[in-house]
Amino acid sequence: MEKIMSFFTTLSLIFTYIFGFGTITVSDGFKLEKQQKLNPIVSMTSAQGLCCDGEYFYCSGAITAIGFTGLAKYDLNMNKIKLNFNAIPKEFTKKYGSNHIGGIDCANGIIYGPAEGEIDDEYKYNLIMLFDAETLEFTGEYYDVSCEYLTDGIPWLAIDSESGILYTSQFNHVDKILKYDLEDMTYLGYLPLSEEINRIQGGSVFCGKLYLSYDVSHSTDEQILTVDLESGNVSSEFEISLPNYDNEAEDICVYPLADGTLFHTLEYDKLINVNILHFSKENIDK
């Protein structure tokens, strides 16, 4: 039975790669404006994280089985500008087990990357590594944010440039959002959530709210969650249905662009292929 299921899963992946997702549906009040499929080569550097500074999109990627980590830079039409196929220096992999860059964010010409890796089957070191947004090279600056609250890695981070706060959480059993000072990564405590959430792959701050990418397990439906940064109240912003296959919802970037799009999500179809989806929203908060 497992071989049969594997066969049909492979067929689904090939179908998705060749023909795309099919008809994507989204909650009322939102509209899918644009869908961009990245080729398998650049997808290696782009299957995990996504952020935007208004001029460029930046992506991160990882293939943990072979210790690969990458970064990519695109224009606003997702045309390739620059790739880095060796984002995390090898000495970090040897010392900290760092082999994965998750959901990224950017501010002040710097890409902030959450780097995790297992040593003896434990997430002993959760790092925030800083990369130059112009060159995509590691700046040499990093922070160890390992703590009792990050027990299964550091899958994402999000920056509120106005307040100078960086937010993050672990992947599963998320009942709090951790806060750090963007300047020196001083731990500022945590924001308790109104309910526990799971499988959080990415985050982005816009207009005082934190938006999270929820990868619904074993489902073609995905959700973007909203967290009120004052109260910690969690609610569903909108849902995305990808009918052909259970793709992995990765990072989210919330950034208003001139074409009217606001929400930008990264979908990984598990065939070394990445799709970037751009959504508009009615009555956008200013």
Side-chain angles (χ1 to χ4, degrees), residues 159-197:
I159 293 170
D160 184 349
S161 296
E162 291 188 7
S163 66
I165 295 176
L166 181 146
Y167 297 93
T168 188
S169 79
Q170 57 186 35
F171 179 57
N172 275 315
H173 305 298
V174 181
D175 60 2
K176 58 179 68 70
I177 300 295
L178 310 183
K179 301 189 293 183
Y180 294 86
D181 188 308
L182 186 62
E183 185 67 27
D184 57 9
M185 294 303 155
T186 299
Y187 179 56
L188 301 176
Y190 61 82
L191 174 69
L193 299 181
S194 61
E195 62 184 80
E196 183 179 282
I197 52 181

XYZ file of all heavy atoms in Angstrom, residues 159-197:
320
model
N 10.007 41.143 11.457
C 10.529 42.393 12.008
C 9.486 43.496 11.933
O 8.846 43.703 10.892
C 11.791 42.832 11.241
C 12.930 41.837 11.494
C 12.217 44.245 11.630
C 14.135 42.061 10.599
N 9.306 44.193 13.041
C 8.524 45.423 13.069
C 9.521 46.566 13.112
O 10.070 46.894 14.165
C 7.617 45.453 14.299
C 6.704 46.673 14.317
O 6.916 47.597 13.497
O 5.782 46.714 15.157
N 9.785 47.169 11.959
C 10.814 48.208 11.864
C 10.473 49.443 12.682
O 11.359 50.120 13.206
C 11.027 48.598 10.397
O 11.526 47.508 9.655
N 9.180 49.744 12.808
C 8.778 50.935 13.550
C 9.099 50.824 15.033
O 9.567 51.767 15.658
C 7.288 51.206 13.342
C 6.932 51.646 11.923
C 5.476 52.081 11.814
O 4.795 52.168 12.858
O 5.035 52.343 10.681
N 8.844 49.676 15.614
C 9.099 49.489 17.040
C 10.486 48.937 17.321
O 10.938 48.931 18.466
C 8.048 48.549 17.643
O 8.182 47.243 17.099
N 11.165 48.437 16.262
C 12.484 47.861 16.457
C 12.449 46.522 17.167
O 13.386 46.164 17.886
N 11.372 45.765 16.950
C 11.216 44.471 17.602
C 11.225 43.357 16.559
O 10.622 43.473 15.491
C 9.908 44.409 18.413
C 9.955 45.414 19.569
C 9.667 43.004 18.965
C 8.669 45.482 20.367
N 11.931 42.281 16.879
C 11.935 41.074 16.064
C 11.114 40.012 16.786
O 11.296 39.784 17.985
C 13.368 40.593 15.831
C 13.562 39.341 14.975
C 14.846 39.447 14.155
C 13.595 38.064 15.820
N 10.214 39.371 16.055
C 9.337 38.346 16.614
C 9.704 36.981 16.057
O 10.119 36.852 14.893
C 7.872 38.644 16.266
C 7.338 39.931 16.834
C 7.379 41.111 16.096
C 6.786 39.984 18.107
C 6.894 42.310 16.615
C 6.292 41.170 18.636
C 6.351 42.330 17.881
O 5.863 43.515 18.397
N 9.519 35.947 16.869
C 9.729 34.585 16.406
C 8.992 33.621 17.332
O 8.410 34.028 18.343
C 11.225 34.228 16.335
O 11.392 32.954 15.708
C 11.855 34.186 17.722
N 9.014 32.341 16.990
C 8.422 31.304 17.841
C 9.003 29.972 17.417
O 9.733 29.870 16.427
C 6.896 31.268 17.700
O 6.512 30.595 16.514
N 8.642 28.934 18.148
C 8.979 27.609 17.688
C 7.946 27.173 16.660
O 7.054 27.945 16.290
C 9.072 26.637 18.850
C 7.839 26.519 19.723
C 8.115 25.635 20.929
O 9.212 25.621 21.473
N 7.122 24.873 21.344
N 8.046 25.910 16.195
C 7.214 25.426 15.098
C 5.855 24.915 15.580
O 4.812 25.313 15.079
C 7.976 24.311 14.371
C 7.241 23.678 13.225
C 6.785 24.434 12.157
C 7.016 22.304 13.196
C 6.116 23.857 11.093
C 6.356 21.706 12.144
C 5.899 22.482 11.088
N 5.880 24.047 16.578
C 4.655 23.452 17.107
C 4.391 23.899 18.537
O 5.276 24.404 19.222
C 4.741 21.920 17.064
C 4.324 21.351 15.724
O 3.321 21.750 15.146
N 5.112 20.413 15.209
N 3.131 23.706 18.961
C 2.711 24.057 20.317
C 3.089 25.509 20.639
O 3.691 25.810 21.671
C 3.339 23.105 21.331
C 3.066 21.658 21.038
N 1.788 21.137 21.033
C 3.902 20.643 20.691
C 1.846 19.846 20.723
N 3.108 19.528 20.505
N 2.700 26.380 19.740
C 3.026 27.807 19.879
C 1.928 28.490 20.680
O 0.817 28.705 20.195
C 3.174 28.477 18.496
C 3.524 29.952 18.661
C 4.218 27.764 17.660
N 2.233 28.818 21.929
C 1.273 29.555 22.758
C 1.791 30.928 23.144
O 1.171 31.654 23.912
C 0.913 28.762 24.013
C 2.129 28.455 24.888
O 3.246 28.891 24.553
O 1.960 27.775 25.916
N 2.945 31.288 22.581
C 3.530 32.599 22.846
C 4.420 33.006 21.672
O 4.963 32.154 20.954
C 4.345 32.589 24.140
C 5.476 31.570 24.148
C 6.264 31.608 25.442
C 5.452 31.128 26.614
N 5.180 29.663 26.548
N 4.533 34.307 21.460
C 5.433 34.869 20.460
C 6.585 35.552 21.206
O 6.356 36.404 22.071
C 4.716 35.891 19.555
C 3.536 35.225 18.813
C 5.696 36.496 18.565
C 3.927 34.148 17.833
N 7.817 35.174 20.872
C 8.990 35.733 21.539
C 9.370 37.068 20.907
O 9.218 37.265 19.695
C 10.159 34.763 21.442
C 9.892 33.314 21.856
C 11.174 32.493 21.784
C 9.281 33.249 23.242
N 9.886 37.977 21.726
C 10.238 39.318 21.260
C 11.712 39.614 21.569
O 12.195 39.337 22.669
C 9.349 40.365 21.940
C 7.859 40.163 21.698
C 7.040 41.336 22.212
C 7.081 41.443 23.733
N 6.214 42.543 24.230
N 12.399 40.200 20.582
C 13.805 40.573 20.740
C 14.025 41.992 20.225
O 13.378 42.422 19.258
C 14.711 39.614 19.956
C 14.696 38.202 20.486
C 13.726 37.289 20.059
C 15.636 37.771 21.414
C 13.697 35.990 20.546
C 15.623 36.466 21.910
C 14.645 35.590 21.464
O 14.621 34.312 21.952
N 14.938 42.702 20.869
C 15.340 44.020 20.396
C 16.152 43.842 19.121
O 17.149 43.117 19.104
C 16.183 44.717 21.472
C 16.477 46.168 21.135
O 16.971 46.434 20.020
O 16.224 47.032 21.988
N 15.724 44.489 18.035
C 16.381 44.314 16.746
C 17.828 44.789 16.769
O 18.673 44.273 16.028
C 15.608 45.070 15.657
C 16.079 44.881 14.217
C 15.947 43.431 13.785
C 15.294 45.794 13.272
N 18.141 45.743 17.620
C 19.479 46.333 17.652
C 20.529 45.341 18.144
O 21.598 45.197 17.546
C 19.484 47.569 18.556
C 20.793 48.342 18.566
C 21.104 49.018 17.248
O 20.154 49.338 16.493
O 22.300 49.233 16.961
N 20.231 44.632 19.241
C 21.245 43.745 19.827
C 20.685 42.386 20.235
O 21.364 41.595 20.893
C 21.904 44.407 21.035
C 20.894 44.802 22.114
O 19.709 44.410 22.002
O 21.285 45.504 23.060
N 19.471 42.087 19.831
C 18.789 40.819 20.119
C 18.623 40.550 21.610
O 18.550 39.393 22.051
C 19.511 39.638 19.453
C 19.459 39.681 17.952
S 17.767 39.736 17.283
C 18.083 40.519 15.694
N 18.517 41.604 22.386
C 18.164 41.438 23.792
C 16.758 40.859 23.889
O 15.841 41.325 23.210
C 18.211 42.790 24.532
O 19.528 43.314 24.453
C 17.819 42.622 25.995
N 16.592 39.836 24.713
C 15.294 39.202 24.869
C 14.353 40.137 25.626
O 14.667 40.603 26.719
C 15.453 37.884 25.619
C 14.170 37.135 25.881
C 13.324 36.786 24.828
C 13.812 36.781 27.175
C 12.151 36.090 25.063
C 12.628 36.082 27.421
C 11.804 35.744 26.361
O 10.634 35.066 26.599
N 13.188 40.409 25.042
C 12.229 41.360 25.616
C 11.006 40.680 26.215
O 10.042 41.351 26.570
C 11.782 42.346 24.532
C 12.887 43.179 23.870
C 12.299 44.044 22.754
C 13.611 44.043 24.888
N 11.045 39.373 26.342
C 9.888 38.664 26.883
C 9.028 38.095 25.770
O 9.451 37.963 24.631
N 7.799 37.766 26.108
C 6.934 37.136 25.118
C 5.505 37.666 25.213
O 5.089 38.239 26.217
C 6.937 35.616 25.277
C 6.441 35.103 26.611
C 5.080 34.971 26.872
C 7.338 34.728 27.602
C 4.615 34.488 28.082
C 6.890 34.233 28.831
C 5.535 34.112 29.055
O 5.082 33.632 30.254
N 4.791 37.454 24.090
C 3.374 37.820 23.992
C 2.547 36.549 24.076
O 2.616 35.698 23.175
C 3.107 38.526 22.657
C 1.648 38.847 22.321
C 1.116 39.930 23.262
C 1.516 39.290 20.863
N 1.767 36.354 25.147
C 0.912 35.160 25.245
C -0.187 35.204 24.177
O -0.761 36.259 23.915
C 0.315 35.250 26.652
C 1.136 36.270 27.378
C 1.639 37.220 26.336
N -0.475 34.062 23.577
C -1.505 33.981 22.549
C -2.827 33.509 23.135
O -2.855 32.782 24.131
C -1.068 33.028 21.432
C 0.209 33.415 20.677
C 0.515 32.391 19.592
C 0.093 34.816 20.073
N -3.900 33.900 22.480
C -5.238 33.535 22.960
C -5.528 32.056 22.767
O -6.434 31.510 23.405
C -6.298 34.368 22.233
O -6.257 34.122 20.831
N -4.772 31.403 21.886
C -4.928 29.973 21.659
C -3.627 29.392 21.132
O -2.798 30.105 20.551
C -6.051 29.687 20.667
C -5.816 30.285 19.281
C -6.984 30.074 18.344
O -7.965 30.849 18.450
O -6.917 29.122 17.524
N -3.427 28.107 21.350
C -2.218 27.454 20.843
C -2.359 27.176 19.359
O -3.413 26.745 18.895
C -1.967 26.142 21.594
C -0.683 25.447 21.175
C -0.434 24.153 21.933
O 0.017 24.249 23.102
O -0.711 23.074 21.373
N -1.292 27.418 18.618
C -1.278 27.164 17.182
C -0.080 26.280 16.847
O 0.857 26.152 17.637
C -1.246 28.481 16.370
C -0.107 29.397 16.856
C -2.573 29.205 16.479
C -0.030 30.725 16.131
